[in-house]
Amino acid sequence: MPSALMAAQGWAAPGPVAGGSSQEPRPAGRGTCWGARKPQAPGCRRPALAAGGSSTQLPAWPFQEPGLCPWLRSQAPATAEGLKMAAAVEPHSSLYDTIVVGAGIQGSFTAYHLAKRGGETLLLDQFPLPHSRGSSHGQSRIIRRAYPQEHYAQMMAESYRLWEQLEAEAGASLYRQTGLLVLGANANPEFQRCCRTLVKHNVPGELFTTESLHRRFPGIQPYHGEVGVSDHTAGVLSADRALRAVQDGFRRRGGALRDGEKVTDIKPGVVVTVTTSRGVYQAKSLVITAGPWANKLLAPLGLQLPLQTLRINVCYWKEKVPGAYGVSANFPCFLALCAPHHIYGLPSNEYPGLVKICYHSGSPADPEERDRPPEASALPDIQILQDFVSKYLPGLVPEPAVVEHCMYTNTPDEDFVLDRHPKFSNIIIGAGFSGHGFKLAPVVGKLLCQLSVGEEPSYAMEPFRIHRFPGLPAPAL
């Protein structure tokens, strides 16, 4: 399969890249566990890792020490009635190298990287898969190397390579190259930083004046005289298909994936104990990638991060002339650097004749109440988008034809949280992906994997540390 991900370097216009499709795996039902051994009783010892399964020697596991399995047995109820109650409340009990809580794109890639190393890994999700309750569902996400922040620009080079590897492994097309147009005022510092990172990292692209931009993309009207820069490597990731592909890769490597299991309790320690609605599990390390539910799991562990959960309106706008803003017409993804929040769009593809255009913010919402209809005053983003579409995209009907929803979990600076718990060094946290984490998930999962096994991360982690927030301590060593 020819790869669309590794574009030739230089500032040249890209050639068309055809998309593809593959046979999609059958979705799993509630409580299903794929590709894993049956749960072991606490008194059982785990089999040794297969030879050659990992190039990195994992540390010795505390529960392999002599005497610890009898200690675990001593904690079980001794009476017949106690055993009966325990069987009803704790139907499973297993020991794993790592447990990952949250099977969205970040948690799934974390589990995937752990399984590639040969570690026995359990991936949990509270909802039956697939589901649309979090931030990883849907048909499309933008992938781009045009970033104003240098740390993300560095990570994106590897992210493209890892997406390409997953495509080859899955035998499925996960990416379609469309290019990306960044719109902004020439004097906008964020626009200038995007231009600099593209040049620094030799990303093929092109600069546009107001006039040349409108000539190249007649469907875009630079209403306030904006200029543009293109990222020719950018395109659209097939989000649902990508999530299934990484979960399939995890299971192929022996990973255990259990859906429909809500975590009800986490007991920290040398061995972390995780209780769910269907079982009790132990592991040497725990990774929490629970999206908008992160703080609900962290509160009993004495930590609250400055995360804001937002309900996002995902809007689709009808073309006045069918196909004018489509992939076949070479219309690109775009990112408009508006204040106070960006507006982004993707060419019509997933819904025929409808262009996906969204505001990069939303209304505060509890994830448990996401579907409660908001008050009219809580929908300023729709009005902002209507104004933008009418001024900048005159070939679209300035009224959304379809409105869907997803959740963002934002940090104050919109940088991720990738760090150890300040008190419990074997509890790792991945959170606050702020609406731009999907494209970076292959690298995020690698970093969370490295943290969980005690390796030095591949990238500088200061932008992602918990202690950058006032009042929050540095992680335990």
Side-chain angles (χ1 to χ4, degrees):
M1 176 181 66
S3 170
L5 288 169
M6 308 301 290
Q9 299 301 305
W11 291 81
V17 178
S21 60
S22 66
Q23 183 176 357
E24 297 179 353
R26 178 174 57 86
R30 176 180 294 273
T32 307
C33 177
W34 306 278
R37 53 172 171 62
K38 293 182 179 180
Q40 295 175 300
C44 298
R45 298 173 70 90
R46 240 181 331 175
L49 296 179
S54 172
S55 60
T56 302
Q57 181 64 44
L58 295 174
W61 300 104
F63 41 72
Q64 292 176 334
E65 295 296 324
L68 186 55
C69 286
W71 178 85
L72 286 170
R73 280 197 296 271
S74 73
Q75 309 308 300
T79 66
E81 182 63 26
L83 288 169
K84 182 179 179 181
M85 291 175 61
V89 176
E90 302 177 354
H92 304 292
S93 184
S94 286
L95 301 171
Y96 290 89
D97 295 343
T98 307
I99 295 172
V100 181
V101 177
I105 195 65
Q106 312 297 346
S108 293
F109 258 115
T110 302
Y112 170 85
H113 283 292
L114 287 162
K116 284 181 73 173
R117 292 168 172 262
E120 292 199 39
T121 307
L122 172 63
L123 177 59
L124 294 169
D125 201 276
Q126 64 176 316
F127 300 111
L129 297 174
H131 67 79
S132 59
R133 308 302 304 170
S135 306
S136 297
H137 64 281
Q139 297 186 51
S140 60
R141 295 292 189 279
I142 294 174
I143 182 169
R144 58 187 166 97
R145 294 188 66 183
Y147 255 108
Q149 301 97 329
E150 174 61 22
H151 49 280
Y152 293 123
Q154 290 177 2
M155 294 164 70
M156 278 308 304
E158 183 178 13
S159 191
Y160 269 81
R161 291 194 296 271
L162 293 175
W163 278 118
E164 183 186 31
Q165 290 174 17
L166 183 64
E167 273 193 321
E169 178 185 314
S173 175
L174 306 178
Y175 161 86
R176 183 163 189 169
Q177 185 177 359
T178 65
L180 171 87
L181 179 66
V182 180
L183 290 168
N186 192 40
N188 183 327
E190 193 171 9
F191 180 83
Q192 292 296 329
R193 289 197 299 272
C194 280
C195 294
R196 285 196 293 270
T197 58
L198 287 170
V199 171
K200 178 178 179 179
H201 295 279
N202 297 314
V203 180
E206 188 175 352
L207 283 167
F208 296 97
T209 64
T210 303
E211 295 74 20
S212 63
L213 189 157
H214 186 56
R215 285 196 302 270
R216 175 70 67 85
F217 306 105
I220 298 176
Q221 174 63 51
Y223 187 80
H224 289 295
E226 289 86 354
V227 296
V229 63
S230 63
D231 170 0
H232 288 169
T233 70
V236 178
L237 288 169
S238 300
D240 284 342
R241 192 183 302 160
L243 181 60
R244 285 193 292 272
V246 70
Q247 290 172 352
D248 287 347
F250 167 64
R251 293 196 299 270
R252 280 194 299 271
R253 289 169 172 82
L257 173 54
R258 295 186 180 275
D259 64 350
E261 292 204 35
K262 184 175 183 178
V263 171
T264 57
D265 185 59
I266 297 171
K267 285 187 171 59
V270 175
V271 175
V272 183
T273 301
V274 176
T275 302
T276 75
S277 54
R278 300 173 64 88
V280 178
Y281 311 94
Q282 292 91 29
K284 179 180 182 290
S285 64
L286 171 69
V287 182
I288 297 174
T289 51
W293 290 272
N295 267 339
K296 294 179 184 292
L297 293 177
L298 293 172
L301 300 174
L303 180 64
Q304 286 290 273
L305 298 173
L307 302 176
Q308 184 182 38
T309 56
L310 299 175
R311 179 183 188 267
I312 304 299
N313 291 311
V314 181
C315 301
Y316 296 83
W317 310 75
K318 186 177 181 180
E319 296 170 310
K320 294 178 180 176
V321 177
Y325 291 84
V327 171
S328 60
N330 295 320
F331 189 78
C333 298
F334 69 84
L335 178 65
L337 304 180
C338 306
H341 300 289
H342 300 162
I343 293 173
Y344 66 91
L346 295 80
S348 62
N349 187 43
E350 54 196 89
Y351 293 140
L354 299 182
V355 179
K356 181 178 179 179
I357 302 172
C358 306
Y359 190 57
H360 195 65
S361 188
S363 305
D366 187 302
E368 304 290 353
E369 301 178 355
R370 190 197 73 169
D371 293 329
R372 177 178 293 179
E375 299 178 3
S377 60
L379 297 174
D381 54 315
I382 300 290
Q383 299 162 16
I384 292 169
L385 288 172
Q386 287 175 322
D387 182 65
F388 178 87
V389 168
S390 65
K391 291 178 178 176
Y392 286 81
L393 302 165
L396 300 179
V397 177
E399 183 75 27
V402 175
V403 179
E404 299 175 342
H405 309 290
C406 74
M407 296 296 295
Y408 278 10
T409 306
N410 284 16
T411 61
D413 56 12
E414 296 194 357
D415 279 331
F416 311 154
V417 173
L418 309 173
D419 206 355
R420 296 182 176 89
H421 188 287
K423 185 176 179 182
F424 309 113
S425 61
N426 60 344
I427 297 179
I428 314 302
I429 302 163
F433 295 101
S434 303
H436 66 108
F438 197 101
K439 68 183 79 65
L440 284 150
V443 174
V444 166
K446 177 182 174 181
L447 292 171
L448 292 173
C449 168
Q450 290 171 332
L451 288 171
S452 71
V453 300
E455 277 188 8
E456 185 69 22
S458 303
Y459 296 86
M461 299 300 285
E462 279 308 304
F464 312 118
R465 297 294 190 194
I466 289 173
H467 67 75
R468 75 183 192 267
F469 302 119
L472 293 178
L477 298 177

